[in-house]
Amino acid sequence: MNIGELATRSGLSHSRIRFYERVGLLKTVDRQPNGYRSYPPEAVVMLALIATAQQAGFSLDEIRALVPPDLVTWEHDALLESLHGKVKEIEALQARLAQSKAGLVELIKDIETKPDGVDCEDNARRLLSRLPSGELTSATTAAADVKMLGKKRRPARRG
Amino acid sequence: MNIGELATRSGLSHSRIRFYERVGLLKTVDRQPNGYRSYPPEAVVMLALIATAQQAGFSLDEIRALVPPDLVTWEHDALLESLHGKVKEIEALQARLAQSKAGLVELIKDIETKPDGVDCEDNARRLLSRLPSGELTSATTAAADVKMLGKKRRPARRG
DNA sequence: CTTGACCCTAAACTTAACTTAAAGGTTATG
DNA sequence: CATAACCTTTAAGTTAAGTTTAGGGTCAAG
């Protein structure tokens, strides 16, 4: 098939497919007599794989190292290995999400845990100690200066 | 404190801190008579907050919209609302990912229990072709959404 | 034989989020 | 007073993952 059809079928742009070939993610493709690229059907699968891995958070460099250059030579074992790899990818994604979520929840908790009229300085110190970098614990003076953190003001506005 | 100390305390580079000021993430900072930037202690908190938000998937654009220039006038409600929304987003993605993973695991089990008498390559192809349109689609879209976390725009358009 | 859809290449451009470089002022220390 | 370790600015460079542009060929239809 021509690149246009492959683009339609895979959902990727022409330029993106050519780009992948250029950077060595796709092996050099056969040409018709007129110079047009002629893709085999499994090119769709290949692109889907690349896109999936990419969307799972892997860079093109990583994918290049990960994905076998030739789909047709895949056999039972290789396929299984690849699928297991895909599970690993998903697990990696899950871990990323969990970490993001944990960070957010922690931050929310720190902001929300501000009872009215209660020791602001103490709250500020706890907030500081929960924020990421460890060096922050030395910022005890900062805690005093930032004791207004979490103090409620005017009604919310969204941008 | 000077920028060097702030860099050390926050764990961010000098250039990064100046960059944040340049792009309006940090309000214009006070200067000493000699022209050096003079940061208040809460600058450490501000930078930690920015870094945390970034790790959670917020773009600098989003952070700029979310975090007010002055910590003291922090729009508590809007921020919390936004953070909660982000957590919900992440939870939805986690659910979808879990389902995708379950589907993949099942597919693997399918293949593993296949008797080895049959045409391996053909079978592998057939199963593989299930990937893009079948079991992995939710993983794919979920992963795509993860990439979109904190992003308002997709890469390069326009000219 | 021209129109329009499709294809080609090479190179420049895009965006985010920084970093590095160039060229120089300031300050603490031996 | 030299020298290193700070600080300043503006401008240009970097990386990833493509997109867009410029300047063509190719092919089916009318």
Side-chain angles (χ1 to χ4, degrees):
Chain A
M1 80 186 83
N2 283 351
I3 198 172
E5 191 182 343
L6 179 59
T8 304
R9 286 208 206 191
S10 66
L12 308 191
S13 66
H14 311 64
S15 61
R16 190 168 166 187
I17 295 170
R18 282 193 282 247
F19 169 74
Y20 284 166
E21 184 182 345
R22 213 166 69 228
V23 300
L25 265 163
L26 304 175
K27 64 178 181 190
T28 311
V29 70
D30 288 343
R31 300 300 183 114
Q32 296 163 237
N34 59 13
Y36 288 15
R37 288 172 179 80
S38 182
Y39 292 95
E42 57 263 33
V44 183
V45 178
M46 191 64 187
L47 286 180
L49 262 168
I50 291 172
T52 300
Q54 202 183 359
Q55 287 158 348
F58 291 83
S59 71
L60 296 190
D61 269 0
E62 288 172 311
I63 294 171
R64 196 183 298 105
L66 216 73
V67 174
D70 196 353
L71 270 187
V72 207
T73 66
W74 276 16
E75 285 171 29
H76 198 259
D77 290 347
L79 175 62
L80 274 179
E81 199 178 324
S82 172
L83 290 176
H84 278 295
K86 192 55 66 183
V87 170
K88 283 248 161 58
E89 288 175 19
I90 290 179
E91 282 167 351
L93 227 195
Q94 286 179 319
R96 285 156 73 117
L97 280 181
Q99 203 173 7
S100 289
K101 183 181 161 186
L104 277 185
V105 165
E106 200 172 318
L107 188 56
I108 287 172
K109 195 186 69 188
D110 285 335
I111 295 169
E112 272 177 344
T113 313
K114 171 58 190 72
D116 286 339
V118 136
D119 189 358
C120 283
E121 193 174 329
D122 193 41
N123 185 53
R125 194 167 285 128
R126 192 185 59 241
L127 189 148
L128 276 179
S129 68
R130 296 230 175 271
L131 284 171
S133 36
E135 281 84 6
L136 283 181
T137 49
S138 68
T140 42
T141 52
D145 284 69
V146 88
K147 62 189 173 190
M148 296 295 282
L149 262 186
K151 198 154 206 177
K152 219 169 161 183
R153 287 231 134 194
R154 292 155 164 277
R157 242 186 67 110
R158 288 183 61 81
Chain B
M1 78 185 86
N2 285 350
I3 198 172
E5 189 182 344
L6 179 59
T8 304
R9 286 210 204 189
S10 67
L12 309 190
S13 66
H14 311 61
S15 62
R16 190 168 166 187
I17 294 170
R18 282 193 281 249
F19 169 75
Y20 283 167
E21 184 182 345
R22 213 166 66 231
V23 300
L25 264 161
L26 303 175
K27 65 177 180 189
T28 312
V29 72
D30 288 343
R31 299 302 181 113
Q32 295 163 234
N34 60 12
Y36 288 16
R37 288 174 179 79
S38 181
Y39 292 96
E42 61 261 32
V44 184
V45 179
M46 191 64 189
L47 288 180
L49 181 59
I50 291 172
T52 301
Q54 243 186 319
Q55 274 196 315
F58 290 86
S59 70
L60 296 189
D61 268 1
E62 265 192 321
I63 295 172
R64 198 190 353 261
L66 216 65
V67 178
D70 193 352
L71 275 183
V72 178
T73 65
W74 203 344
E75 293 273 341
H76 194 254
D77 288 347
L79 180 59
L80 275 180
E81 191 183 330
S82 199
L83 292 177
H84 276 298
K86 202 59 85 173
V87 170
K88 283 246 160 55
E89 233 179 285
I90 289 177
E91 281 169 349
L93 293 177
Q94 283 179 320
R96 288 167 66 184
L97 268 189
Q99 210 177 350
S100 297
K101 184 180 159 186
L104 245 198
V105 167
E106 204 165 309
L107 178 60
I108 288 173
K109 207 175 66 180
D110 259 12
I111 297 171
E112 275 174 343
T113 58
K114 220 81 186 175
D116 23 78
V118 289
D119 186 348
C120 254
E121 190 175 323
D122 215 38
N123 189 44
R125 276 256 200 116
R126 181 182 57 79
L127 289 166
L128 196 61
S129 63
R130 276 172 62 181
L131 283 183
S133 50
E135 305 294 335
L136 269 184
T137 42
S138 56
T140 297
T141 52
D145 287 346
V146 167
K147 290 189 82 179
M148 290 300 288
L149 270 180
K151 284 189 180 167
K152 289 302 189 192
R153 299 168 210 151
R154 290 218 136 234
R157 310 211 91 212
R158 241 242 126 219

